[in-house]
Amino acid sequence: MERHPLNITTNSAHQHALLLQYPQYSTGPRMVMLHGSGVAGEYTWTYLCNYLRGWSEILLLDLAEMGQSRFALDMPWQASSYATQLQELLERLDWQTFDLAAYSFGGMVAWAWMNQHPLDGRLFLLEPAMLGGVEPATLVNKAEAYRQLSHQLMAQPDRLDLYREFLDIVSPVRPDNPQADELTATRLAENPAGFARALNTVATELMQHADEFVQWQAPVSGMSFVGSLSPQEMHQRHQMLAEQNLPSWQYVSIAGADHRLVYTHSRQIAAAMNKMV
């Protein structure tokens, strides 16, 4: 694997990304990977990328205000702002055909980007923010929790208990592991403003598009992953997604995982993804 840091200024953002190249798979497809709220792309995806096989190049970008990327303009607090950032980077790199993997908040960004651009490749979703339940009320309730937490974080960014409260929202039945919770909270607290903005963005989109999200269908073939410890309504939503998109969509429940599945169960996720190359 070859690692190439990229620092590119586009119209909307000063962008940082990491390009991974795999010479042994030079004829394979490319992939773009979108991280979740608050944590940079490289940290989110490094473990999983160690187990991926078949992709020639993988692009791990930092969404703006997270990692090393920053908006250069006063962009709206909407998923479309991050989608604009993504599209500008793709145009600069001349990437037109690729697979797309998106985790949590990154799933919301992927949705916004696909609303404007056709995806010429497969889609991999890891507990995406917009597919949390089969009823609009479930999404609206989660949006209200996110918005309240976002406002608290903007006012008191040093309160580590607020980051643990986020874990209570996304992983209410996670294993009892205070050390792991502390590590996650500390990592999220490294960029409180970017994390709070991402949460507020998710809340806004869930409020405005709850009815759409419970009916959304994948525009391309792909696969979604949900931790077995995550809420049942999320599993139901992804089962529905697979049923709506048969036979081109697969739903995978990762045993023993919660919302942090991309960090804790990278090998299992990569093994499933590798089968689709």
Side-chain angles (χ1 to χ4, degrees):
M1 179 200 303
E2 299 175 3
R3 300 163 58 90
H4 303 280
L6 304 176
N7 292 286
I8 298 173
T9 297
T10 63
N11 289 338
S12 70
H14 303 293
Q15 305 210 39
H16 175 78
L18 181 65
L19 178 63
L20 305 179
Q21 295 181 319
Y22 300 79
Q24 67 272 39
Y25 306 124
S26 59
T27 61
R30 289 168 161 171
M31 179 150 63
V32 176
M33 308 188 87
L34 304 178
H35 61 78
S37 299
V39 181
E42 181 177 359
Y43 180 79
T44 299
W45 296 110
T46 290
Y47 294 112
L48 194 147
C49 287
N50 287 335
Y51 302 115
L52 291 176
R53 303 289 182 266
W55 282 274
S56 60
E57 293 184 305
I58 300 177
L59 183 66
L60 312 179
L61 71 152
D62 288 351
L63 295 169
E65 310 307 328
M66 291 168 274
Q68 299 179 51
S69 293
R70 296 291 180 269
F71 281 122
L73 303 174
D74 185 14
M75 301 290 284
W77 287 36
Q78 299 172 351
S80 59
S81 297
Y82 301 91
T84 296
Q85 174 203 349
L86 169 60
Q87 180 60 21
E88 290 175 355
L89 183 59
L90 293 172
E91 290 175 356
R92 287 288 295 273
L93 297 176
D94 195 26
W95 277 39
Q96 300 177 22
T97 301
F98 50 86
D99 296 334
L100 181 60
Y103 166 59
S104 192
F105 170 66
M108 189 73 80
V109 177
W111 162 80
W113 181 84
M114 288 185 293
N115 282 345
Q116 300 295 326
H117 307 279
L119 175 60
D120 188 3
R122 290 155 296 202
L123 179 63
F124 300 93
L125 297 175
L126 289 73
E127 297 210 356
M130 71 285 191
L131 301 181
V134 296
E135 298 292 340
T138 300
L139 303 185
V140 170
N141 288 340
K142 186 165 288 189
E144 292 172 347
Y146 285 152
R147 179 158 290 169
Q148 180 179 351
L149 182 58
S150 173
H151 291 165
Q152 290 177 302
L153 284 167
M154 285 186 280
Q156 299 175 291
D158 296 329
R159 282 182 54 189
L160 282 182
D161 63 299
L162 293 178
Y163 302 93
R164 288 189 286 270
E165 184 176 330
F166 169 72
L167 293 179
D168 292 338
I169 296 172
V170 296
S171 299
V173 196
R174 65 188 182 278
D176 184 13
N177 189 333
Q179 185 176 4
D181 286 0
E182 188 75 14
L183 177 62
T184 302
T186 301
R187 180 67 65 175
L188 292 172
E190 292 178 1
N191 190 357
F195 179 51
R197 176 171 179 150
L199 287 182
N200 195 289
T201 298
V202 170
T204 296
E205 302 294 356
L206 290 177
M207 287 282 192
Q208 294 180 355
H209 301 284
D211 290 335
E212 175 184 347
F213 290 147
V214 297
Q215 297 297 328
W216 183 84
Q217 297 185 34
V220 295
S221 62
M223 179 179 293
S224 58
F225 300 88
V226 179
S228 67
L229 301 179
S230 292
Q232 186 59 34
E233 56 263 32
M234 184 181 296
H235 287 274
Q236 292 171 351
R237 180 65 186 92
H238 286 266
Q239 288 171 341
M240 180 191 302
L241 185 66
E243 292 168 358
Q244 290 171 330
N245 293 271
L246 284 174
S248 63
W249 193 269
Q250 299 179 43
Y251 149 69
V252 181
S253 176
I254 302 296
D258 58 21
H259 188 67
R260 295 172 288 190
L261 72 173
V262 68
Y263 306 104
T264 60
H265 290 71
S266 298
R267 188 189 297 269
Q268 295 94 314
I269 295 169
M273 293 174 65
N274 290 339
K275 294 178 181 178
M276 294 195 72
V277 182

